[in-house]
Amino acid sequence: MSKSLNIALLGNPNTGKTSLFNSLTGLSQKVGNYPGVTVEKKEGVCKLDRKTKGYFIDLPGTYSINSSSIDESIVVELLLNKNNKEYPDLALVIADVENLKRNLLLFTQVKDLGIPTILVINMADQMKRKGISLDIPILEQTLETKIALVSTRENTGLDELKKLILNYRIISNKPLVQINSIDKKYFENLENAFPGQLLYKLWLIITQDANFGAIQRTLISDISKFQTKSKSEIKRLQQKETIKRYQFINSVLKKGLQIDKASATDFRSKLDRVLIHKFWGYLIFFSILMIIFQSIFSWSEVPMDFIDNCFNYLSSVTSNNLPSGVFTDLLSQGIIPGLGGIVIFIPQIAFLFLFLSILEETGYMSRVVFLMDRGLRRFGLSGKSIIPLISGTACAIPAIMSTRNIESWKERLITILVTPFTTCSARLPVYAILIALVIPDGYFLGFSYKGLMLMFLYLIGFLMALGIAWILTTTLSIHSKSYFVIELPNYKIPLIKNVALTVWEKTKSFVEGAGKIILAISILLWILASYGPGENFNQAENIIQKKYPELAEKEIELKTNSFKLENSYVGVLGRSIEPIITPLGYDWKIGIAIITSFAAREVFVGTLATIYSVQNDDNDTIKNKMASDIRKDGKLLFNLASGTSLMIFYAFAMQCMSTLAVVKKETNSWKWPLGQLFFMTILAYFISFLTYQILS
Amino acid sequence: MDWIQGFLVFLSGICALLFLFRKFFFKSKLANKKGCDHNCDCH
Ligand SMILES: Nc1nc2c(ncn2[C@@H]2O[C@H](COP(=O)(O)OP(=O)(O)OP(=O)(O)O)[C@@H](O)[C@H]2O)c(=O)[nH]1
Ligand SMILES: [Mg+2]
């Protein structure tokens, strides 16, 4: 018979819970060097020995079990509800060896809940460098538990940990701190009112903010009758509890922990002084951004051209070698160019994720949060909002989910509403192709115009987010408190493995996710572009021949193709919306691309690629076909004015169904996502209109 | 030969429609169940 154990991974933020979870279960959940990476419960299985399976639950980091934000309340709910099928048989509290004192607060609380608790001291690899030494037997004795000293980075101590887990029954589950000593009388009453219940658990339920959901309702409703103390009294008792716990922890650490300051290097505080400096900090931050945008453009030029040519070649091989017919056309004009429109951006996307994950892993991101906090507060955001705003450069969806660690509902809502303005990786393909088409070559102070334009687009997205946040703060009348505790994590050399994994996973999910949608949309588009209603479509050749009898055969063919396309189903649809978008400088083809890219922004390029190959199937790259398209008034379709206006449109418009769905999920109402959709679209329309009118 | 190609185009069209339909209308019900990766809702 095989057994199974539920094991909860608890601990302060950024102590390496997810790293341990990944090492044990072989999964690859996101790890990052800043607090608040994990915001949801994640599960994984690990075989502990031949007969026992461990079900590990990775949880968001918490400083204590008195929760104040949604991600923390997930932890409390799990620990208080014995009927939950995930209720842990034992808990691992993961502590970071450099911050033991703060970490032990949570440990004593969890242990006092009567759950067998093992203390896992992580980052053992740092001990030598920081001059830390631990007396494990003494600590085990005073904390009445078993301790595993591990390093997930060097993979040490994991086997010992597994052994401790298997023998978890020998761990005492007596409380460490006598909770009734903070107010004898009150707890006596409580004990008499609920005989047989664990005192500390009752106390926790009383102190839990009732807003936070579904903790065993029956218990709570009984307890709320037992309100013999006012709210402020209870707060005072809670503080007393914390002080008691710290007294206990201090006495433990006095015996078991030694730090030799002399052998610790003080590199970190020196670096911090520069990186969060009011002037140098910003300067460094902007220089880093600048370098990133420059390299996204210049490094990926060669691989992108290569990919573009490959797809062309593939198209022509397909159409030349397969038996001719409509399906062959679908392949060579619809599917292959459509997919090419996404694959071509792999180099740029990979570079973007490479830089992002290096910034995260080194610990620099938290310095940016710290740096920005003061400034952001003025706009009604908290320092913690910067993490969604920055990770929104990858994708707005995880970014919006990561707002869960913002305690104040108002700040959280505002962050959710403005995060879609951050330039996400799906906008990058749109910008990249348009910049290549309409922004001239040339340099300003050593920076190429193209790189500068890209940086400008990222900046206006960010500034718009701030501006809207400011407006929302002053207009929304929601009152809620805000706190700010951010700790600066230690600097770490990024693990190449972690970075490579992130880049690989993210790029893969970008291509897979967008790829499937683009494949489907290319197929439908090709069909709609190759068939059409009525005389104009079916008689296209005759009509053109009559109209231009003097033209050569090749010319006639080109004209016929354009005429056919304009009268195909997409053409008819596109031309019906053309009046709305003409003032912005777009034609019906761009209109169709805007509509299809509502499924995902990067579909834009694939859509144009498909439409253009139906119109003109000679072997030219998408970019060249787009560059030579001429409008009715004789100007190039993609010129500085229309191209810039289009980029501005993509910078501000919502254009993403998945984001809407997530906002609905996180705010629990359709009111916010719909409002966001209308507002952003109108805003985008307006600013693009102005841009086009001014530039043309 | 022609009808095979026509049929294949028809088939691809139907599959594409079904896929998009499922993706954007039934996704929310499917997604939550499995413990999916950080980025899974993206697209
Ligand atoms: N030096 C060292 N660094 C580690 C070790 N384990 C994890 N880290 C780093 O610590 C940072 C935080 O790791 P995570 O696993 O994301 O931490 P977490 O506890 O899940 O954080 P939250 O989800 O934010 O609560 C990452 O940069 C890891 O690379 C270790 O054993 N040694
Ligand atoms: Mg984590």
Side-chain angles (χ1 to χ4, degrees):
Chain A
M1 256 282 294
S2 72
K3 272 191 313 181
S4 70
L5 291 177
N6 277 344
I7 303 157
L9 298 182
L10 303 163
N12 287 181
N14 210 35
T15 54
K17 293 177 294 302
T18 307
S19 307
L20 181 68
F21 177 81
N22 287 346
S23 320
L24 287 171
T25 60
L27 296 177
S28 48
Q29 291 296 333
K30 185 174 161 76
V31 166
N33 192 6
Y34 56 89
V37 179
T38 310
V39 290
E40 277 184 317
K41 207 159 55 183
K42 293 282 154 83
E43 285 157 51
V45 192
C46 166
K47 229 174 167 170
L48 294 167
D49 69 5
R50 243 182 295 145
K51 276 184 280 170
T52 325
K53 267 197 213 155
Y55 287 91
F56 286 87
I57 308 169
D58 183 25
L59 290 157
T62 51
Y63 291 103
S64 71
I65 21 187
N66 312 101
S67 71
S68 55
S69 62
I70 297 182
D71 56 346
E72 289 180 352
S73 70
I74 294 176
V75 176
V76 184
E77 270 177 32
L78 179 72
L79 294 183
L80 288 186
N81 189 356
K82 257 200 166 142
N83 299 332
N84 191 334
K85 69 176 192 318
E86 286 173 344
Y87 184 81
D89 296 302
L90 80 155
L92 305 186
V93 171
I94 290 94
D96 158 7
V97 71
E98 289 176 60
N99 297 302
L100 260 189
K101 184 170 159 188
R102 198 193 59 213
N103 284 269
L104 283 178
L105 177 68
L106 179 70
F107 171 80
T108 62
Q109 288 183 321
V110 176
K111 189 154 167 30
D112 288 359
L113 275 175
I115 302 170
T117 308
I118 294 175
L119 179 63
V120 180
I121 301 182
N122 189 21
M123 312 209 187
D125 51 301
Q126 298 283 341
M127 285 171 67
K128 204 159 164 202
R129 214 157 54 81
K130 302 280 159 141
I132 300 174
S133 55
L134 295 173
D135 188 339
I136 300 284
I138 289 256
L139 287 175
E140 284 187 336
Q141 198 189 349
T142 46
L143 294 171
E144 300 177 33
T145 183
K146 285 286 166 192
I147 295 181
L149 194 60
V150 305
S151 160
T152 58
R153 187 158 278 208
E154 291 175 346
N155 258 326
T156 55
L158 295 180
D159 291 331
E160 287 81 354
L161 175 61
K162 282 185 199 168
K163 273 187 212 127
L164 292 182
I165 294 177
L166 286 169
N167 294 322
Y168 77 99
R169 282 180 199 285
I170 62 168
I171 296 169
S172 105
N173 51 11
K174 276 209 319 271
L176 289 169
V177 174
Q178 297 305 328
I179 186 74
N180 55 11
S181 65
I182 59 176
D183 186 333
K184 282 250 156 57
K185 190 124 186 286
Y186 179 73
F187 281 96
E188 217 164 80
N189 281 339
L190 193 61
E191 201 162 15
N192 291 336
F194 302 95
Q197 292 277 3
L198 196 65
L199 212 48
Y200 185 56
K201 198 167 191 165
L202 294 174
W203 168 237
L204 261 185
I205 294 176
I206 290 175
T207 55
Q208 245 342 280
D209 197 336
N211 290 338
F212 286 128
I215 314 168
Q216 268 181 305
R217 280 289 162 197
T218 51
L219 245 185
I220 292 189
S221 61
D222 287 354
I223 274 184
S224 56
K225 288 184 214 130
F226 182 81
Q227 282 270 349
T228 53
K229 292 216 183 254
S230 69
K231 259 212 161 115
S232 61
E233 277 283 287
I234 288 185
K235 273 256 138 58
R236 214 178 44 80
L237 281 186
Q238 253 184 314
Q239 280 163 6
K240 232 171 144 184
E241 180 203 336
T242 311
I243 294 172
K244 256 228 129 66
R245 287 186 188 280
Y246 271 124
Q247 281 169 349
F248 170 74
I249 293 168
N250 281 337
S251 73
V252 170
L253 289 184
K254 219 183 227 162
K255 288 178 243 160
L257 169 79
Q258 262 176 5
I259 301 180
D260 181 3
K261 280 265 159 46
S263 69
T265 46
D266 200 26
F267 172 64
R268 174 187 154 164
S269 54
K270 270 188 212 139
L271 197 56
D272 272 349
R273 227 168 291 153
V274 184
L275 289 185
I276 57 181
H277 187 272
K278 260 187 252 162
F279 175 74
W280 296 115
Y282 281 105
L283 190 76
I284 293 173
F285 181 53
F286 280 106
S287 318
I288 291 180
L289 287 187
M290 199 80 137
I291 293 171
I292 293 178
F293 295 129
Q294 288 294 320
S295 23
I296 284 180
F297 255 95
S298 51
W299 293 355
S300 40
E301 213 171 302
V302 177
M304 283 175 80
D305 281 344
F306 175 74
I307 296 174
D308 204 358
N309 286 321
C310 284
F311 270 86
N312 264 316
Y313 178 71
L314 202 65
S315 258
S316 62
V317 167
T318 316
S319 68
N320 294 339
N321 292 314
L322 288 184
S324 67
V326 277
F327 188 67
T328 307
D329 288 348
L330 170 64
L331 280 178
S332 68
Q333 300 170 0
I335 294 178
I336 294 174
L339 285 183
I342 192 72
V343 175
I344 188 171
F345 296 107
I346 290 179
Q348 285 184 329
I349 296 288
F351 278 123
L352 181 71
F353 288 134
L354 175 72
F355 288 118
L356 276 182
S357 74
I358 289 179
L359 291 188
E360 278 181 4
E361 270 286 296
T362 49
Y364 179 67
M365 218 57 123
S366 304
R367 271 73 193 178
V368 178
V369 175
F370 198 82
L371 184 70
M372 298 271 178
D373 182 57
R374 214 168 333 142
L376 285 183
R377 241 154 230 283
R378 238 171 276 157
F379 296 97
L381 297 168
S382 83
K384 283 192 184 168
S385 312
I386 194 77
I387 291 187
L389 289 180
I390 291 181
S391 64
T393 46
C395 173
I397 287 150
I400 285 174
M401 304 214 306
S402 73
T403 59
R404 288 182 191 175
N405 71 1
I406 300 176
E407 292 88 353
S408 141
W409 162 241
K410 185 173 180 180
E411 286 172 356
R412 177 158 178 252
L413 178 65
I414 293 177
T415 311
I416 291 178
L417 293 180
V418 302
T419 296
F421 283 114
T422 315
T423 306
C424 63
S425 59
R427 284 181 176 104
L428 190 58
V430 181
Y431 291 167
I433 191 107
L434 292 174
I435 287 179
L437 284 175
V438 305
I439 302 295
D441 283 320
Y443 287 88
F444 177 75
L445 296 179
F447 294 108
S448 72
Y449 290 150
K450 294 187 167 155
L452 287 175
M453 182 68 191
L454 189 61
M455 172 132 173
F456 170 75
L457 288 165
Y458 273 80
L459 277 184
I460 56 167
F462 185 69
L463 292 179
M464 185 56 86
L466 291 190
I468 301 292
W470 183 76
I471 295 173
L472 287 174
T473 330
T474 44
T475 52
L476 282 182
S477 55
I478 300 175
H479 293 285
S480 55
K481 273 184 303 192
S482 77
Y483 328 70
F484 183 57
V485 257
I486 176 98
E487 55 173 319
L488 295 180
N490 280 311
Y491 291 106
K492 300 216 168 84
I493 306 277
L495 261 191
I496 296 180
K497 197 185 91 199
N498 277 359
V499 172
L501 199 78
T502 317
V503 172
W504 167 248
E505 293 267 328
K506 293 240 170 159
T507 313
K508 200 175 80 182
S509 81
F510 174 85
V511 175
E512 275 175 1
K516 280 184 241 158
I517 296 181
I518 288 180
L519 181 65
I521 289 185
S522 315
I523 294 174
L524 294 178
L525 260 181
W526 181 88
I527 295 176
L528 292 178
S530 308
Y531 298 92
E535 282 297 285
N536 277 347
F537 185 85
N538 295 322
Q539 301 296 323
E541 258 150 77
N542 297 340
I543 296 174
I544 292 293
Q545 240 153 21
K546 259 191 221 130
K547 217 166 162 190
Y548 308 98
E550 75 286 2
L551 284 184
E553 202 171 320
K554 178 77 193 153
E555 299 271 299
I556 294 259
E557 196 190 313
L558 275 182
K559 280 247 180 317
T560 315
N561 281 345
S562 313
F563 188 75
K564 260 186 148 167
L565 185 62
E566 263 172 49
N567 289 290
S568 66
Y569 290 107
V570 240
V572 174
L573 178 71
R575 282 185 303 147
S576 68
I577 58 163
E578 207 168 19
I580 310 176
I581 52 174
T582 313
L584 310 185
Y586 316 154
D587 74 341
W588 67 267
K589 287 175 217 151
I590 300 179
I592 291 287
I594 289 179
I595 294 180
T596 55
S597 68
F598 192 66
R601 291 184 180 89
E602 57 275 47
V603 172
F604 175 84
V605 186
T607 300
L608 287 180
T610 302
I611 295 183
Y612 277 104
S613 1
V614 174
Q615 179 177 23
N616 171 359
D617 62 355
D618 57 11
N619 301 318
D620 210 346
T621 60
I622 311 166
K623 216 168 94 184
N624 293 341
K625 282 179 193 164
M626 284 169 77
S628 56
D629 195 12
I630 300 206
R631 270 200 313 220
K632 289 209 184 72
D633 61 6
K635 277 198 213 153
L636 282 181
L637 174 62
F638 291 96
N639 53 38
L640 185 66
S642 66
T644 313
S645 146
L646 193 53
M647 286 188 262
I648 299 278
F649 184 83
Y650 273 90
F652 296 143
M654 175 49 125
Q655 289 288 331
C656 179
M657 279 210 239
S658 320
T659 306
L660 288 176
V662 163
V663 174
K664 151 80 185 29
K665 204 165 107 198
E666 297 293 310
T667 59
N668 249 326
S669 103
W670 276 110
K671 180 170 91 182
W672 299 112
L674 289 182
Q676 212 176 6
L677 173 65
F678 284 116
F679 176 75
M680 289 178 72
T681 311
I682 290 169
L683 180 80
Y685 187 90
F686 218 74
I687 301 187
S688 307
F689 175 74
L690 287 181
T691 312
Y692 181 68
Q693 299 302 333
I694 291 170
L695 286 180
S696 67
Chain B
M1 274 315 269
D2 263 4
W3 70 268
I4 297 186
Q5 295 237 359
F7 178 70
L8 283 176
V9 169
F10 178 74
L11 209 64
S12 336
I14 296 290
C15 289
L17 263 182
L18 281 180
F19 170 77
L20 288 178
F21 199 70
R22 200 192 66 122
K23 180 112 198 153
F24 290 107
F25 295 98
F26 298 106
K27 174 108 188 266
S28 41
K29 284 173 207 153
L30 295 174
N32 287 334
K33 292 280 150 65
K34 49 182 198 260
C36 63
D37 145 73
H38 205 73
N39 233 354
C40 61
D41 270 341
C42 200
H43 308 302

